[in-house]
Structure formats: structure tokens, C-alpha cells
Amino acid sequence: MMILAVVALIALLVVLIAWGKVPPFLAFLVVAVGGALAFGMPLGQIPKSLERGVGDMLGGLVAIICLGAMFGRAIADSGAAQSIARALIGAVGLRFILLAMALTGLIVGIPLFYSVGFVVMIPLIFSVAKRAALPPVYVGLPLLCGLSVAHGFLPPHPSPTALVTLFGADTGLTLAYGLVVSIAALLVGGPVLTLTLKRVGVLPLGGPPADSPFAAGAASEGSAPGAFNSFTTALAPVVMIAATTALLVALKSPSPARDIVGFIGHPAVVLILCLIYATFSLGLLRGVSIPAQMQRYGDALKEVAGVLLILAGAGALKQIFVDSGVSAALGGWLGALPLHPLVLGWLIAMVIRVALGSATIAGLTAAGLVQPLLAATHVDPNLMVLAIGAGSLMFSHVNDPGFWLFKEYFGLTLKETLLSWTVMESLVGVVGLVCVLGLSLVV
């Protein structure tokens, strides 16, 4: 009976968001309160559980996500993303253009939120396509695949970061495993898929009208920072987290040095240091005033408010499941299913993704359902973060805003978008799961 109640609550969440267009934060709260009443929680305990769920979820994430948004804004507004793309394309030439665009998407996607990276890189995609006399989708699909895998697998993006906190995973290890999974998924979902679509003659040739602002060239080279500056700034968080994680493994015994490394390697501290560096390297040293920089950062914080509210709502629902005893019962039921826990997490995230369209909401909702499995099955929490991330990217279709962004920016038909965008996202999800299962055999 309890399992049916949980299914009904998830169905209600889907209806509220997908059909009723209720803001996700409100929908999560309504479902959380409804669930608390259905599970017979004492009325006096319900507000406390909601407050605790919101606080526990946001407590360790607000700083990371807000700092990540500001850091990404510095990368985007300075032209560093375009500089990275030009450097990679210049290094490999047009012969390996697909690989260069895929790597550009991954590198740029690490500091940038997906939607921001999409809009920032669109002019460059059309600029490169025009220069190389290639179809825009042929050039753009690998790059957007890179943005997608970073969004699904790598901290400091909202869903992976939140899942790391929920599962008690290690940010550094999740990032290391995530890079392995991301590269494999990117190669298959980007260059390999693009070449396959071209070979079988179904690669869309569409693009925006000539007078569309989307077809404008990328930022001029003179206005963008140099390639070295752009690469070192954009990759600074990854390098710092990877380096401090390696040092922590080397410094096994407690010591003042290990404490210092642990402090510097905390994601929030890493992002603070990287943001300060970006403020100088991409701003002050290039003639951008402090007020202008702070205005950009303020705008970034406004843009991330909706993401934080989604996280807060998901935390409230998760806590209701925990305090009502549903999580324990659900963990026992899920653990008895004849499926590997990582496959189960992937499958739940995929179903919610198909129903709701949002990768972030799919990941967070699946995490709340799968969390009890971790203690019972001793699955590596870092790998569970990635398995759910892979499922949350599956089968993007007409209820996903990213689907329509891709369709309209590239001027494609519905069929062409399904053959390119939807297939790409699904391949990334499947390859991601295969890689996670492979990693589970060796780590």
C-alpha cells in the first residue's frame, strides 16, 4: 500500500509540473505535504520536516551553486568560451572539427550552466559552420553533447552537486569518475553519432534564416582573452579539486598539512579562489571595472534562484519520505528487486525524465527514492550519482525546453530534432550507464 502511495505522489508531481505548469518548488511542497498527510505523520511534525529538508538540502549547496553561477558568468561574458573553441579548432584543423567541438563543449560546460553555455556557444557554432562550409547541426551537435554530459555528470552543476551531498559522496572522486564517463559518452554521442547520421543520410541540414541573430558570428577575437588565459581560468576548479583529492589520498594519516589540503579542496573554497582569480584574469587585468564585474555576478545570482528553489522543494519531499518511514520501507522493497542498484537508479531517473522533461528534477526526485538503497547495498555513492545522472539525460523530447531550443535555433523539423537531439541524449544516457557499471567492477 505504501509503495502505491509513493507512485501516486510521483504521478501527482508529474501532473502538477507537466500538465498544470505549477512552479516546481510549489509542486514539490504540495506533494510533500500531501504525502505527509497520507502517511499519517503527526501534524505538528510536518512543518519541522519541511524546514529540515529544505535546510539540509540547501545548507551545503547554496554557496557552491551561487559561486559556480558567478564563475560561469565570468567565463561567458569575457569571451573565454569562444577563445577556447577557436584554440581547439586551430590546433586540430577542420579534419578533426567534430572532436574539437566536442572537447569545446565539455570544457566550456564544466563552469557554465547548460542553458547559458547553449546560448553563448550558438553564435560560434554558426560562425564555424559558415567558415568550414558545413551544416550547422554537423558542427553543433558534438559541442552541445559536451555541454549535456557536463550538465548530467560533473559537479558543480546543480544535480550532480546535490546528489553528492545527499549520498555522502566525495566531490573529487565523483568528478574523476565523471570525467571518465563523460569522455566516453561524449565520443559516442558526439562525433560518432554525427558521422553515423551523415553516413546514412539523415543528418539535418537546417539552420536559422540568414537574417536571424542566431546566425551572427561569434565575438571578435580581439575582444576575447587569450587561449592560455581562457583554458587556465575555465579549468582551474577541475585542476584544484583533482589535485587536492590526490593529495588527500597520499596524506592518509591525520596531520595539519592534510587539514589544510582538505580545506583548500572543499568545493566552496575552490570556487571562491577560482572566482577571485577569474575576476582578475578575465576582468580587471583586461580593463573591466569592478562595478561591471559585480553587476555580472549579481545577474548570475538572479538566474540561479529558480534552481535553488527546485533543490529546496526536492529536499522537503525527501525529508518527508525519511521522517514518515517510507524511505526505509522503500529501500527494502527496491533492494528486493532483481536489478542492480545502479541500473535501478538509472531507470527511475529515466522514467521521471521522460515524464517531466527536466534532467535536474529527474535526478533529484530519483535520488530521494534511491537513497535508502545505498546503506542496504553498499553501492559506491559516487557511482550512484553518475548512474542517476545518466538516467536523467535519457530521451529528451517535446516536454524538455532543451529540445525546443535545439529545434528552433537550428531551424529543424520535429522529425529532424528527434533524429539528432533525442538520439544524442539517449546515447549519452545509455553509454553513461554502461561506463558506470564498468567502473563498478574495478573501484
Side-chain angles (χ1 to χ4, degrees):
M1 189 68 180
M2 186 174 290
I3 302 301
L4 293 178
V6 172
V7 172
L9 287 173
I10 301 304
L12 175 60
L13 182 67
V14 171
V15 170
L16 289 174
I17 296 175
W19 178 79
K21 306 302 179 185
V22 177
F25 173 66
L26 178 58
F28 271 116
L29 288 183
V30 169
V31 171
V33 172
L37 295 174
F39 299 139
M41 288 182 63
L43 296 180
Q45 186 182 346
I46 295 175
K48 296 178 182 178
S49 291
L50 296 177
E51 291 173 5
R52 181 180 176 186
V54 170
D56 287 352
M57 175 66 81
L58 292 183
L61 295 179
V62 172
I64 296 173
I65 291 176
C66 289
L67 289 167
M70 290 187 283
F71 181 73
R73 191 61 180 259
I75 300 294
D77 288 355
S78 66
Q82 289 90 341
S83 183
I84 290 170
R86 280 192 292 267
L88 286 172
I89 294 167
V92 303
L94 294 180
R95 182 180 179 183
F96 298 102
I97 186 71
L98 298 182
L99 183 60
M101 297 302 284
L103 290 176
T104 297
L106 180 62
I107 293 171
V108 170
I110 291 172
L112 293 183
F113 284 163
Y114 182 82
S115 57
V116 176
F118 192 112
V119 174
V120 166
M121 299 309 293
I122 280 292
L124 182 132
I125 288 172
F126 289 110
S127 175
V128 172
K130 183 177 180 181
R131 187 187 315 167
L134 293 169
V137 177
Y138 182 85
V139 174
L141 193 64
L143 187 149
L144 297 176
C145 181
L147 293 178
S148 185
V149 298
H151 174 70
F153 297 128
L154 303 179
H157 285 270
S159 182
T161 303
L163 267 58
V164 166
T165 300
L166 279 174
F167 295 157
D170 180 89
T171 301
L173 286 177
T174 301
L175 182 59
Y177 298 158
L179 285 171
V180 174
V181 173
S182 295
I183 291 172
L186 174 59
L187 290 176
V188 176
V192 172
L193 173 63
T194 303
L195 289 172
T196 303
L197 291 176
K198 184 182 181 183
R199 191 173 297 117
V200 298
V202 296
L203 184 74
L205 301 177
D211 59 351
S212 169
F214 303 143
S220 64
E221 295 190 26
S223 64
F228 180 79
N229 185 7
S230 300
F231 273 104
T232 54
T233 304
L235 293 177
V238 176
V239 173
M240 287 188 66
I241 291 175
T244 52
T245 300
L247 284 173
L248 287 174
V249 172
L251 300 171
K252 295 181 180 180
S253 58
S255 67
R258 196 176 195 279
D259 292 340
I260 293 172
V261 171
F263 169 73
I264 294 175
H266 188 280
V269 176
V270 166
L271 287 170
I272 289 173
L273 296 175
C274 291
L275 183 62
I276 293 172
Y277 177 69
T279 301
F280 282 89
S281 66
L282 301 179
L284 295 178
L285 298 181
R286 301 184 61 251
V288 181
S289 66
I290 285 286
Q293 288 278 84
M294 296 307 110
Q295 178 64 45
R296 292 175 178 177
Y297 297 160
D299 292 341
L301 292 178
K302 295 175 185 176
E303 294 168 359
V304 83
V307 175
L308 292 174
L309 288 175
I310 291 174
L311 294 174
L317 179 59
K318 181 269 300 181
Q319 196 61 42
I320 290 297
F321 284 157
V322 171
D323 291 348
S324 65
V326 168
S327 282
L330 191 62
W333 181 75
L334 292 175
L337 293 178
L339 287 174
H340 193 289
L342 294 173
V343 176
L344 192 59
W346 177 87
L347 187 62
I348 294 173
M350 181 195 71
V351 171
I352 299 172
R353 158 72 159 181
V354 171
L356 288 179
S358 169
T360 300
I361 295 176
L364 293 172
T365 306
L369 298 174
V370 174
Q371 190 178 22
L373 270 180
L374 292 176
T377 59
H378 304 291
V379 172
D380 188 322
N382 304 290
L383 296 181
M384 183 61 83
V385 171
L386 300 177
I388 290 177
S392 73
L393 295 176
M394 284 293 296
F395 201 70
S396 166
H397 61 100
V398 295
N399 64 354
D400 178 14
F403 178 93
W404 295 104
L405 276 175
F406 185 82
K407 178 184 181 299
E408 297 304 320
Y409 271 55
F410 287 91
L412 305 179
T413 65
L414 195 64
K415 180 181 178 180
E416 289 172 335
T417 309
L418 287 168
L419 287 173
S420 51
W421 172 264
T422 302
V423 172
M424 179 271 286
E425 290 280 80
S426 300
L427 266 179
V428 166
V430 171
V431 173
L433 174 64
V434 171
C435 290
V436 169
L437 291 175
L439 284 172
S440 71
L441 300 176
V442 296
V443 300

